[in-house]
């Protein structure tokens, strides 16, 4: 009986020793994990007020020969400002390691034509903007952008092109002696026409195309006023002669009233009203 107990005790000691050795080996074989930031894609030019894009950033976790990649998320971000224009730093922390990425924040100024981006610029101030050529559109006339460009930028700017559809220059005809105020201005969609000159301005000499300037004034106050040269065709004005008597008595004799048109005048240029003989 004693021998059996001794054998059992020895067996338990051996098992305990083996387990202790195994635990020790496991502890010894465990290696530390090292972390590094992998930048697959990161936009260094960031739009003011936008969210930073971490989709191209990963943490490389290396333990011995084992390598894992952990996507960077917002919980790893210590700092990253997009509401301050200029140079900034994105600070990332994970597993006791930290990294910084430099980037710059810009205002975004977009010009839109028919729902599509016509021009887009990233700038730090309005003075850095390049000139934007006026867009063209078949059958329509560009009259400006829906919002004015501020002298100082405090945020992103989005400007939409405005067009006056079917805008055509009016034609005018007048009679000698008329003024611009006597001419009827046509209606126009999205605005109205007006003369650049005083309305009391005479239309000019007859049988000529006299040039004046007409202005299209858009309803939207931010749109630009458009000036166009137009010709006014001026016709002769008919002169009216009123003959109260077609004859008169002089020196005891009756004489007939006669008239003669001057050179260059035709019967179409005058109106003659003859009341016949006056009653005495």
């Amino acid at each position: 009986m004693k021998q059996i107990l001794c054998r059992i005790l020895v067996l338990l000691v051996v098992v305990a020793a083996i387990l202790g050795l195994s635990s020790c080996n496991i502890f010894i074989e465990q290696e530390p994990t090292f972390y590094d930031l992998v930048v697959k894609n990161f936009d260094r030019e960031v739009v003011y007020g936008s969210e930073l894009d971490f989709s191209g950033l990963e943490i490389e976790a290396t333990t011995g020969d084992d390598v894992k990649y952990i996507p960077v998320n917002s919980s790893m971000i210590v700092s990253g400002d997009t509401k301050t224009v200029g140079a900034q730093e994105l600070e990332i922390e994970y597993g006791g390691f930290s990294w910084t990425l430099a980037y710059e924040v810009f205002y975004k100024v977009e010009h839109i034509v028919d729902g599509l981006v016509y021009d887009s610029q990233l700038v730090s101030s309005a003075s850095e903007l390049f000139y934007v050529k006026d867009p063209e559109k078949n059958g329509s006339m560009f009259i400006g952008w829906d919002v004015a460009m501020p002298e100082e930028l405090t945020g992103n700017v989005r400007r939409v092109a405005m067009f006056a559809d079917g805008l055509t220059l009016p034609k005018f005809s007048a009679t000698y002696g008329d003024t611009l105020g006597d001419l009827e201005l046509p209606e126009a969609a999205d605005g109205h026409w007006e003369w650049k000159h005083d309305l009391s301005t005479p239309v000019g000499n007859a049988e000529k195309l006299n040039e004046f300037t007409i202005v299209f004034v858009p309803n939207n106050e931010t749109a630009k006023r458009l000036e166009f040269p137009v010709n006014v065709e001026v016709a002769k004005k008919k002169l009216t002669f009123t003959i109260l008597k077609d004859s008169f008595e002089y020196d005891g004799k009756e004489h007939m009233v006669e008239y003669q048109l001057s050179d260059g005048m035709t019967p179409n240029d005058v109106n003659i009203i003859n009341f016949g003989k006056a009653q005495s």
Side-chain angles (χ1 to χ4, degrees), residues 241-258:
F241 297 94
T242 302
I243 300 177
L244 299 178
K245 296 181 180 180
D246 58 7
S247 66
F248 62 95
E249 189 176 309
Y250 178 73
D251 195 20
K253 297 179 181 180
E254 186 176 26
H255 299 269
M256 300 300 296
V257 174
E258 296 180 358

Side-chain angles (χ1 to χ4, degrees), residues 177-251:
D178 288 345
T179 65
L180 293 181
D182 296 321
L183 305 183
E184 183 178 355
L185 295 172
E187 295 183 356
D190 304 317
H192 67 274
W193 293 104
E194 64 181 38
W195 293 107
K196 186 178 181 181
H197 318 276
D198 191 280
L199 293 181
S200 62
T201 303
V203 296
N205 294 329
E207 295 187 327
K208 286 187 176 181
L209 290 175
N210 300 314
E211 185 176 293
F212 299 92
T213 301
I214 195 171
V215 182
F216 177 75
V217 183
N219 292 332
N220 190 316
E221 294 181 357
T222 63
K224 60 183 180 181
R225 297 162 61 98
L226 304 176
E227 297 186 359
F228 304 95
V230 292
N231 292 321
V232 177
E233 185 177 4
V234 182
K236 290 182 178 180
K237 181 176 183 179
K238 283 191 173 184
L239 299 177
T240 300
F241 297 94
T242 302
I243 300 177
L244 299 178
K245 296 181 180 180
D246 58 7
S247 66
F248 62 95
E249 189 176 309
Y250 178 73
D251 195 20

Side-chain angles (χ1 to χ4, degrees), residues 4-228:
I4 296 174
L5 293 176
C6 288
R7 289 178 180 178
I8 294 173
L9 182 60
V10 171
L11 181 60
L12 291 175
V13 171
V14 171
V15 171
I18 292 173
L19 291 175
L21 182 60
S22 299
S23 299
C24 182
N25 287 339
I26 293 173
F27 177 77
I28 293 173
E29 289 176 357
Q30 186 174 5
E31 297 184 15
T33 300
F34 296 95
Y35 300 97
D36 195 11
L37 179 66
V38 177
V39 181
K40 292 184 176 180
N41 180 41
F42 180 68
D43 195 347
R44 306 281 179 163
E45 294 183 342
V46 179
V47 176
Y48 175 85
S50 65
E51 293 186 2
L52 292 172
D53 184 6
F54 313 133
S55 59
L57 303 179
E58 293 180 334
I59 303 295
E60 183 183 72
T62 304
T63 305
D65 295 331
D66 184 27
V67 180
K68 295 181 180 179
Y69 294 93
I70 306 167
V72 172
N73 57 58
S74 58
S75 66
M76 305 175 187
I77 305 302
V78 177
S79 64
D81 181 21
T82 65
K83 287 295 186 72
T84 304
V85 171
Q88 303 293 332
E89 284 189 344
L90 173 65
E91 187 176 355
I92 303 171
E93 285 187 359
Y94 185 78
F97 292 77
S98 63
W99 305 268
T100 57
L101 289 175
Y103 62 95
E104 191 164 357
V105 178
F106 297 92
Y107 294 121
K108 187 176 191 178
V109 179
E110 282 187 323
H111 290 81
I112 309 298
V113 177
D114 287 342
L116 302 177
V117 177
Y118 176 73
D119 180 83
S120 181
Q121 299 181 44
L122 295 179
V123 296
S124 299
S125 65
S127 62
E128 298 177 4
L129 285 169
F130 291 103
Y131 171 75
V132 179
K133 183 180 178 181
D134 290 349
E136 297 179 354
K137 183 179 178 181
N138 290 336
S140 300
M141 184 173 293
F142 174 70
I143 59 174
W145 304 98
D146 65 335
V147 295
M149 177 60 67
E151 294 183 0
E152 294 186 8
L153 296 178
T154 57
N156 301 322
V157 178
R158 187 176 188 270
R159 307 175 80 197
V160 179
M162 297 184 295
F163 294 90
D165 295 332
L167 183 64
T168 56
L169 292 180
K171 296 181 179 180
F172 298 97
S173 59
T175 302
Y176 177 79
D178 288 345
T179 65
L180 293 181
D182 296 321
L183 305 183
E184 183 178 355
L185 295 172
E187 295 183 356
D190 304 317
H192 67 274
W193 293 104
E194 64 181 38
W195 293 107
K196 186 178 181 181
H197 318 276
D198 191 280
L199 293 181
S200 62
T201 303
V203 296
N205 294 329
E207 295 187 327
K208 286 187 176 181
L209 290 175
N210 300 314
E211 185 176 293
F212 299 92
T213 301
I214 195 171
V215 182
F216 177 75
V217 183
N219 292 332
N220 190 316
E221 294 181 357
T222 63
K224 60 183 180 181
R225 297 162 61 98
L226 304 176
E227 297 186 359
F228 304 95

